[in-house]
Amino acid sequence: MSLNPNGSQPQHETEEISSRDSPELVVGCRKSELALTQTRTIIAELKQKLDPSPTFEIATSSVVGDADKQTPFLLLSKQTGGSDVGKSLWTNGLEKDLAADKVQFLVHCLKDMPTTLPPNFLLGAIPEREDCSDAVVMRSDSGFKSIDQLPPGSVVGSSSSRRRALVRRNWPHLKILECRGNLDTRLAKLDAPDSPFSCILLATAGLLRLGLGHRITQRLEPTVFPYAVGQGALGIELDADRQDILQLVRHVDHKPSRWRGMAERAMLRSLQGGCSSSIGVWSSFEPLKENDVADTARDSGTLRLRATVIHIEGTSDISSEDVSTVQSDDDAEQLGISVANMLLSKGVRDLLPEHV
């Protein structure tokens, strides 16, 4: 099986023109309906905050992760090197367009972004984060209201090794089967008359963004079912030399979301984990009271990060947590590194996949 990125020309979708005299910017994303919806949302926010607003156009490109919907994700990630290399299945086709200046910035799901970006690319902004939790979606004809109610032997669908490990840990009487594809594809697999699945697990944020909140049967509590690094957040990637684009996208940057995301990513980078690693997190940010900080530290706050590494079979897990006052990206990343070092000191490498 060839895993070379698709080199086809990007397909363009023209958005509403804001001003004939303003510059045109091309924004890149994947071809899925979720990716398009997320990109349109970012464009709409930028149009509200910029006066005059540029004209925006969306260019979609194929990525290897979308093209191969049959190979189980864990195997697909191993075949490409695992860890960040595996995550690049969802980004490198888009980054080729960015490097060639066919697009001026990219909109990703943050959890799909490698924790180390290609040279001269940077994470320019993280907009305000959506609900980070995982959602249980039952079959449309199901009478069950919670995964806890499912009888022994019921089948749960998921392609995520983190979710599979957490199901094995929390509900060992249930079975797990691979369920890959775009969100609508997975819902169709769930609802098919011959479906083996009693329920599937999806990110709450994706369902909400597509107006499918009514399909959510249950939102899993992150303290019991920790979410993926970056889940619920978007990441805007751009060329580090384009300071004009950086200043533009910073209009949708949300510092609490940014610092949470950066701490989570620094932790994962330090462990060299990735999509195929059963690592879950929970983070929070509490702004400092205005009368407790100087003007120079007005955006300061208390950032808390908890990370859990679960054995792929759900038989054991190791958690660590730390908290820090942050007022910069470096502060947030140092917190993530601290949590990673705490995990490493507890022998967490024994729980990580062999390729990590």
Side-chain angles (χ1 to χ4, degrees):
M1 179 180 62
S2 173
L3 293 177
N4 291 327
N6 188 310
S8 61
Q9 292 293 318
Q11 298 180 356
H12 293 77
E13 173 180 322
T14 303
E15 293 291 331
E16 178 185 352
I17 295 175
S18 300
S19 170
R20 287 188 174 183
D21 298 327
S22 59
E24 179 178 273
L25 296 177
V26 183
V27 186
C29 70
R30 289 161 62 182
K31 288 185 176 181
S32 73
E33 186 57 38
L34 178 58
L36 283 165
T37 297
Q38 291 171 165
T39 303
R40 292 184 186 116
T41 298
I42 296 300
I43 289 173
E45 290 182 15
L46 286 170
K47 284 182 176 181
Q48 285 183 345
K49 295 181 178 182
L50 297 171
D51 185 20
S53 169
T55 297
F56 291 96
E57 189 174 294
I58 297 176
T60 60
S61 288
S62 298
V63 296
V64 176
D66 286 330
D68 185 350
K69 293 184 172 62
Q70 301 303 316
T71 306
F73 179 79
L74 186 56
L75 176 59
L76 189 61
S77 182
K78 283 183 177 179
Q79 289 173 334
T80 53
S83 193
D84 269 355
V85 181
K87 282 195 171 189
S88 68
L89 293 171
W90 276 262
T91 60
N92 55 13
L94 298 168
E95 287 166 344
K96 285 189 171 183
D97 293 338
L98 184 60
D101 201 32
K102 293 177 182 177
V103 301
Q104 281 66 65
F105 63 89
L106 303 171
V107 177
H108 302 287
C109 287
L110 188 63
K111 71 175 181 177
D112 292 337
M113 294 184 71
T115 57
T116 299
L117 300 181
N120 214 46
F121 286 177
L122 60 82
L123 179 57
I126 298 178
E128 187 168 3
R129 201 168 186 174
E130 181 55 271
D131 187 328
C132 306
S133 68
D134 290 283
V136 177
V137 180
M138 297 290 181
R139 290 174 55 91
S140 55
D141 59 355
S142 175
F144 296 110
K145 301 301 181 184
S146 164
I147 193 171
D148 303 287
Q149 298 174 351
L150 292 177
S154 299
V155 178
V156 179
S158 176
S159 61
S160 159
S161 58
R162 172 188 58 87
R163 290 171 180 153
R164 293 156 74 99
L166 285 167
V167 169
R168 291 182 179 116
R169 184 187 73 173
N170 294 314
W171 303 281
H173 60 288
L174 302 179
K175 294 182 179 179
I176 311 288
L177 284 183
E178 184 84 11
C179 186
R180 285 195 61 205
N182 291 335
L183 195 146
D184 55 349
T185 301
R186 283 181 274 178
L187 288 173
K189 289 180 179 180
L190 171 67
D191 292 334
D194 59 348
S195 172
F197 304 115
S198 295
C199 69
I200 59 175
L201 303 181
L202 299 168
T204 297
L207 290 162
L208 294 177
R209 287 173 179 144
L210 286 177
L212 293 171
H214 62 281
R215 288 304 309 262
I216 298 174
T217 306
Q218 175 188 13
R219 301 190 195 197
L220 294 171
E221 174 56 48
T223 55
V224 175
F225 207 91
Y227 44 83
V229 166
Q231 184 161 304
L234 303 179
I236 299 178
E237 184 179 9
L238 54 102
D239 189 317
D241 292 333
R242 292 298 303 268
Q243 289 298 305
D244 57 329
I245 302 300
L246 177 60
Q247 294 305 313
L248 182 145
V249 301
R250 281 290 171 88
H251 283 85
V252 294
D253 192 51
H254 183 251
K255 283 191 175 178
S257 299
R258 179 181 183 85
W259 288 338
R260 287 174 61 202
M262 296 193 81
E264 293 171 16
R265 287 167 59 80
M267 180 278 301
L268 190 59
R269 186 187 307 119
S270 298
L271 292 183
Q272 298 191 14
C275 282
S276 58
S277 301
S278 47
I279 301 173
V281 296
W282 172 85
S283 64
S284 67
F285 180 85
E286 183 68 30
L288 295 181
K289 294 181 179 179
E290 203 169 305
N291 57 357
D292 291 342
V293 296
D295 288 344
T296 55
R298 189 169 295 166
D299 293 320
S300 301
T302 301
L303 181 61
R304 184 179 298 274
L305 174 63
R306 178 179 176 85
T308 302
V309 181
I310 313 98
H311 188 279
I312 193 66
E313 297 300 327
T315 53
S316 59
D317 60 80
I318 297 175
S319 296
S320 290
E321 182 175 333
D322 201 1
V323 61
S324 177
T325 299
V326 300
Q327 57 183 21
S328 70
D329 292 356
D330 287 344
D331 291 343
E333 292 199 330
Q334 285 303 312
L335 177 64
I337 293 168
S338 171
V339 171
N341 287 337
M342 293 167 69
L343 289 168
L344 291 169
S345 71
K346 295 178 180 180
V348 77
R349 286 207 183 280
D350 293 338
L351 301 185
L352 293 171
E354 291 181 4
H355 66 260
V356 173

